[in-house]
Structures are given as C-alpha cells and as structure tokens.
Amino acid sequence: MMKKIKTCLAISFAAGCLLMLSQSVLAQKNVIRTVIIDPGHGGIDPGARGLFSTEAEVALSISLKLGAALEKEFPNIKFVYTRTTDVLPGGATNVRQGLVNRANMANDLKGDLFIAIHLNATGQKAGGWYAKKIVGYKPKVVYTGSGKRRRKKHIQEPIYESYYVKNTRVGTETYIWAADRSDEKSENVVLGGEEGGEDEPVDDPNNILDLNSPEAKIRAQLYTKYFFRNSALLASMVEDEFSKSGRSSFGVKQRNNKGIWVLQATGMPSILVETGFITNKEEEEYLNSEKGQQEIVENISGAFRRYKQELEASKHNTHAAAGK
C-alpha cells in the first residue's frame, strides 16, 4: 500500500514539475522575466569565516549590489532576493528549513534563473597557521627498564622549529547541480572533489533533502533535459568574465551534496558563484572592499548580459527557422 502511495506521490510530483517546467520554458522563450538572487547563509548560519568577516555578510553585500546594478540595466526584468538582511530566508530557524525556503521562493515565483552568491573556504584556519618541522637532532641519554634491568640508552632527539603556513588558496569557481544521472554532459564542466567548495553538513532527519528520493530523481531527469545546458552556459560565462578581469578561476564544477542542494531543488537554470576565498587574507580584504565587490558585480553582470543575448539570439534563430 505504501509503495502505491509513494508511486502516486512521485507521479503527482512529476506532473507538477512538468507544469512548472513548461511555464519556465515559456518564460525563457520570452527571454528572462524573473531572476532570483540568493545571498548564501545568513542569521544563525554565518557560513565560512575569515579573519574579520563572515561569508553571510559579504555575500549579502555583493548580492544587493549585483541586484541594484542589474535592475538599473534591465528595468523590465524582476529581480528578487531570498534575503535582504542578516536572517535565514523566510525567517527559518535552522539551516535545512532555510534551504527549503530558498527553493520554495524561487519556484513559487516561477523564476527563470537562480543565482546564489557565496564565498569559498579551504577548511583550514583563515589567514594561516603555525606548523612544526624537524631542523636537526641532538644527542640525548634516556633510561629504559627498572631495577636490575635499568639500562642507559643514547638517542638522537629531533629539534623542531615552528614556522608559519600562509593560507594561499585564492580564486573563483561556479557550481551547477550534477547531472550524473543522465548521459548528457557538458565538455566545459568537470566534477567537483577538489579542495574548497560548499560542503556544509545539513541536519535532515526527515530526509527532505534526499537526492535519491523518487521525487529528486524525477526532477533530476527533467532538470537535465531543460536546464542543465543553460546552467552550464551561464556558469562558464561567469568564470570567463572572472578570468578576463585577472582573477584565478577554477572553472565550472558539478556538485550534488546537500550543501548546495538548493541548485537541485530550484526548477530553473541555477548557479552558485564562489566569489573568492575568505580564508585568504588578501582575498578576504578584496572581497570586503568597495573596489572588489564592484568588480565582482561587473563580472557577473557581464556574464548575465551575454547569457541574455545568447537566449535572445537562440529565440530569434528558432523563429526565423520556423518562418521558412
């Protein structure tokens, strides 16, 4: 009985997805009408920490500036933020519900594009840390055993020296949801797994974020068919703009862990932009500076402009071909 119920739920979910997808595709034929800008983390979830700032606060600042710039250039497009203050979206009190609220907001608004803004971290201490290395040895006498078995022993004791290891990793990377359940791949996309990237644990006792659920698998197939290519297209344009401005770019990557589940849960082309490493001293300063944030905004805006033009050109070519 439960199996039949789950099957019915999956079919119902698929029908809802198809309706939402068809609406999104129609919106895309009208180019782009609604864009969701998602500042990562917030409130009780500060995200990665630097020497003097948090991912949540910097991501919010960049997101608000990005939205303002895009609103000015594209007044006919609606730009919506998942949060505009230091709180989790929808007033959520835990990270899991915050993720669900982000996705629900994007889907309820029938967004044509989802852009999440984040900052990266290496998983090591921000700025750097002290380590030890052996620089030599000195003779030392030690005793082993006790009583009649007590013996003197000569050993070489290592001499240690402390040294500072700077957290040197810098650069950008943009994530899209992994389409590894399909044969369709993009040659410009590589699988994740390198150091860095979003990988926060999410408390999910009710399995709401289960990527292996029937609903998730159905969405995976639909997402791949309709949105994977456009997500990869925009993501590659974002990284191209970063590279052209002189930033180090690690390119476009796929990820399907729960930390960026929101990319899988949004029924539209979706990207997550890692704007730089907050754990590097100089890059944290850049990410917090007016100059740095403005350059990041210009890079992402330039990619969005190119993406929009690409969609418009594709629409024009489709109409021209249909008119023949």
Side-chain angles (χ1 to χ4, degrees), residues 95-96 99 199-204 258-259:
V95 176
R96 174 184 59 81
L99 289 173
D199 196 17
E200 303 90 343
V202 176
D203 182 20
D204 186 27
K258 292 177 180 178

Side-chain angles (χ1 to χ4, degrees), residues 46-314:
R49 295 181 181 274
L51 291 169
F52 61 88
S53 63
T54 67
E55 178 179 7
E57 61 190 14
V58 180
L60 179 60
S61 180
I62 293 173
S63 295
L64 293 176
K65 290 176 181 176
L66 173 63
L70 292 174
E71 287 169 0
K72 183 177 180 180
E73 184 173 355
F74 305 101
N76 294 326
I77 298 177
K78 182 180 181 181
F79 294 92
V80 182
Y81 307 89
T82 58
R83 67 181 183 94
T84 56
T85 58
D86 188 26
V87 296
L88 285 172
T93 57
N94 59 73
V95 176
R96 174 184 59 81
Q97 190 58 51
L99 289 173
V100 172
N101 289 350
R102 294 175 203 269
N104 286 346
M105 179 185 296
N107 292 333
D108 290 345
L109 290 168
K110 298 179 177 62
D112 302 302
L113 185 63
F114 183 91
I115 302 174
I117 302 297
H118 284 244
L119 279 70
N120 226 331
T122 61
Q124 297 161 314
K125 188 175 180 181
W129 61 94
Y130 282 95
K132 291 182 178 181
K133 62 180 179 181
I134 297 175
V135 295
Y137 294 87
K138 61 181 180 182
K140 183 179 180 179
V141 175
V142 296
Y143 292 88
T144 60
S146 60
K148 293 182 179 181
R149 295 184 176 181
R150 182 176 173 82
R151 297 287 186 272
K152 182 169 68 174
K153 185 177 180 181
H154 295 272
I155 65 169
Q156 293 294 311
E157 183 179 52
I159 302 171
Y160 292 96
E161 180 181 277
S162 294
Y163 65 100
Y164 187 75
V165 181
K166 184 177 179 180
N167 202 321
T168 59
R169 190 172 175 87
V170 298
T172 68
E173 54 193 12
T174 299
Y175 285 89
I176 62 175
W177 175 68
D180 54 2
R181 295 183 181 89
S182 170
D183 291 332
E184 182 177 353
K185 295 288 184 181
S186 171
E187 61 183 12
N188 294 321
V189 181
V190 296
L191 288 173
E194 295 183 23
E195 186 180 21
E198 294 293 318
D199 196 17
E200 303 90 343
V202 176
D203 182 20
D204 186 27
N206 297 319
N207 212 30
I208 290 177
L209 310 185
D210 183 14
L211 291 172
N212 294 312
S213 67
E215 294 86 355
K217 289 181 178 179
I218 291 169
R219 185 181 288 278
Q221 295 167 356
L222 296 173
Y223 182 98
T224 299
K225 184 174 181 181
Y226 291 102
F227 304 136
F228 178 80
R229 187 172 299 167
N230 281 354
S231 299
L233 175 64
L234 176 59
S236 64
M237 289 176 172
V238 168
E239 288 305 311
D240 182 53
E241 291 295 322
F242 280 137
S243 293
K244 288 193 296 187
S245 70
R247 301 288 304 282
S248 296
S249 168
F250 294 102
V252 180
K253 297 180 181 178
Q254 298 181 60
R255 222 42 189 280
N256 62 5
N257 64 65
K258 292 177 180 178
I260 53 176
W261 170 86
V262 71
L263 295 184
Q264 183 262 350
T266 44
M268 63 206 68
S270 308
I271 66 170
L272 186 149
V273 184
E274 297 281 12
T275 56
F277 280 82
I278 195 173
T279 45
N280 175 269
K281 179 180 181 295
E282 289 75 22
E283 190 142 270
E284 181 186 12
E285 292 171 350
Y286 174 81
L287 291 166
N288 277 271
S289 70
E290 189 67 29
K291 176 179 180 292
Q293 292 189 4
Q294 187 57 41
E295 287 181 355
I296 291 169
V297 167
E298 290 173 359
N299 293 154
I300 300 175
S301 296
F304 176 81
R305 189 181 307 115
R306 290 169 56 190
Y307 175 75
K308 180 174 177 290
Q309 291 170 350
E310 182 78 15
L311 294 187
E312 289 171 343
S314 177

